[in-house]
Amino acid sequence: MDGEPFWLQSPLAPCERTLYRLMGVDPAEQMNWKRHLACVLAFSGISLAALVALLMTQHILPLNPQNVSGASWHLALNTAISFVTNTNWQSYAGENAMSYLSQMAGLAVQNFVSAAAGIAVLFALIRGLRPSGGASPGNLGNFWADATRAVLYMPGNRSPLTAM
């Protein structure tokens, strides 16, 4: 997570750099706890609002062959909070209440990015707790870089030879 090279980094490094450019992020920038917290809350808030909007408007969006109606505001909010916080509690019956687009672009994406946000927070905590020579309160890493690396590299962070 600190940018050390490993086997999967070479093929995915261009994708990582492109994502940083699109987000306007300098992955080498270090954040203090206030900035890190603000980024986590902003990311989670935007994710929550986007997912609620997607669920409530799924009836007018594509990939809805069953003509599933839009979720009520309380079901959409409950589901969005659940997936953004990575608890994934569901009070609906899968394909009967959610369109394919809602499941793919909303819920499945949140399974990855909400976990990545949690992993980024964990690494900030670890950096903050390191003994001398580690991170200072103003050097907890970069939330955006950690979340991006968690999505891109965590599933494959071991060499195929050492995974056996």
Side-chain angles (χ1 to χ4, degrees):
M1 292 299 281
D2 287 333
E4 294 93 12
F6 68 102
W7 73 276
L8 193 56
Q9 192 170 12
S10 292
L12 291 178
C15 181
E16 182 181 2
R17 286 190 301 272
T18 301
L19 287 171
Y20 293 145
R21 271 195 303 272
L22 290 173
M23 294 187 297
V25 170
D26 175 11
E29 175 192 5
Q30 296 296 312
M31 296 181 175
N32 62 21
W33 73 269
K34 291 177 188 177
R35 178 97 191 274
H36 202 278
L37 176 63
C39 290
V40 171
L41 292 176
F43 178 74
S44 296
I46 291 168
S47 296
L48 179 71
L51 188 52
V52 167
L54 175 67
L55 296 177
M56 289 180 68
T57 61
Q58 68 183 352
H59 63 287
I60 60 172
L61 297 173
L63 295 175
N64 188 5
Q66 291 91 357
N67 293 316
V68 176
S69 63
S72 63
W73 72 267
H74 48 82
L75 177 61
L77 183 62
N78 179 290
T79 303
I81 289 171
S82 171
F83 276 81
V84 168
T85 60
N86 205 11
T87 53
N88 301 353
W89 185 78
Q90 300 174 16
S91 64
Y92 58 88
E95 291 81 20
N96 295 330
M98 299 295 160
S99 70
Y100 293 157
L101 181 67
S102 294
Q103 292 181 64
M104 291 185 310
L107 306 180
V109 168
Q110 280 302 315
N111 282 325
F112 289 94
V113 298
S114 64
I119 291 167
V121 169
L122 175 65
F123 274 92
L125 176 67
I126 291 169
R127 289 180 187 118
L129 294 175
R130 281 184 185 162
S132 64
S136 67
N139 187 12
L140 297 178
N142 186 310
F143 169 77
W144 304 110
D146 289 346
T148 301
R149 289 176 183 147
V151 170
L152 289 177
Y153 300 128
M154 290 301 279
N157 66 352
R158 295 174 58 192
S159 165
L161 299 176
T162 60
M164 296 181 185

